[in-house]
Amino acid sequence: MEYIIIIIGAIFVNNIVLNQFLGICPFLGVSKKINTAVGMGGAVLFVMTLATIVTWLIQNYVLTPLGLQFLQTIFFILVIASLVQMVEIILKKVSPSLFQALGIFLPLITTNCAVLGVAILTIQKEFSLMEGVVYAISNALGFALALVLFSGLREHLDLMEVPKGMRGVPIALVTAGILALAFMGFSNLV
């Protein structure tokens, strides 16, 4: 039952982007096309899950036993940067078109505060390794869900007659706010 609460809570109730406002840069930057949003969601899923596993292990088997908890953020950033480099190399070989589509936003996963935030929240919530993995996967799925929904809305908005002063980023921000309000409807679910 605990895992179901973690999953529903991370995807819908406490969505990393729409409720906690972490990962806004890629949310706004990669949401113009659904294909790119799905690719970014997959990359974030991979990096967030691996980063949570590695950072949990580092925290519990290196930093805490040695009394070096104050180095947590530095170690976590180094782990995330390394994992993003690995994803970048893999995508370049496996899917060059997705690599090109993601462009500058793939290296931005390094500074994506959603990935770092989930790694730190996993430690702060004192999750076990398995709970942390479920939490990371659920947050990544919540990120991907929000990103794909938002990109679908933005593609639809491109076909609509939007007033000149609201085209582009202004209407995207209004739409993101409305999407966040829609997700608030899940707040009493868990």
Side-chain angles (χ1 to χ4, degrees):
M1 189 65 169
E2 174 123 4
Y3 292 115
I4 293 172
I5 291 171
I6 291 172
I7 292 166
I8 292 172
I11 294 174
F12 299 109
V13 179
N14 294 317
N15 186 286
I16 199 82
V17 177
L18 300 173
N19 187 319
Q20 298 180 39
F21 307 112
L22 296 173
I24 295 293
C25 181
F27 178 71
L28 292 173
V30 187
S31 60
K32 292 180 182 173
K33 296 196 182 287
I34 292 177
N35 294 346
T36 310
V38 170
M40 180 62 135
V44 168
L45 173 68
F46 180 73
V47 171
M48 194 176 283
T49 304
L50 280 180
T52 300
I53 293 169
V54 174
T55 56
W56 189 93
L57 292 170
I58 288 172
Q59 179 70 32
N60 288 295
Y61 292 109
V62 177
L63 298 179
T64 301
L66 297 175
L68 300 173
Q69 295 92 332
F70 62 92
L71 294 174
Q72 179 187 61
T73 304
I74 294 168
F75 269 91
F76 286 13
I77 289 171
L78 290 173
V79 166
I80 292 166
S82 302
L83 289 172
V84 169
Q85 285 296 98
M86 192 172 71
V87 169
E88 195 170 351
I89 291 167
I90 291 169
L91 272 182
K92 200 174 200 177
K93 298 239 188 248
V94 173
S95 179
S97 60
L98 181 57
F99 177 78
Q100 287 288 19
L102 290 175
I104 188 69
F105 296 105
L106 188 58
L108 282 178
I109 294 177
T110 304
T111 58
N112 185 347
C113 54
V115 177
L116 180 60
V118 168
I120 291 173
L121 286 170
T122 300
I123 301 303
Q124 287 178 347
K125 292 178 185 249
E126 298 179 357
F127 284 144
S128 68
L129 180 58
M130 191 62 192
E131 289 171 337
V133 169
V134 169
Y135 183 69
I137 291 170
S138 300
N139 271 294
L141 291 174
F143 178 85
L145 174 67
L147 193 60
V148 169
L149 286 173
F150 188 56
S151 63
L153 291 170
R154 286 188 74 178
E155 281 186 4
H156 186 70
L157 282 171
D158 288 342
L159 303 173
M160 306 300 294
E161 289 187 36
V162 178
K164 189 174 183 178
M166 290 295 290
R167 290 185 189 144
V169 175
I171 195 68
L173 291 173
V174 170
T175 305
I178 293 170
L179 189 59
L181 286 172
F183 269 69
M184 282 180 64
F186 296 115
S187 62
N188 289 326
L189 195 59
V190 177

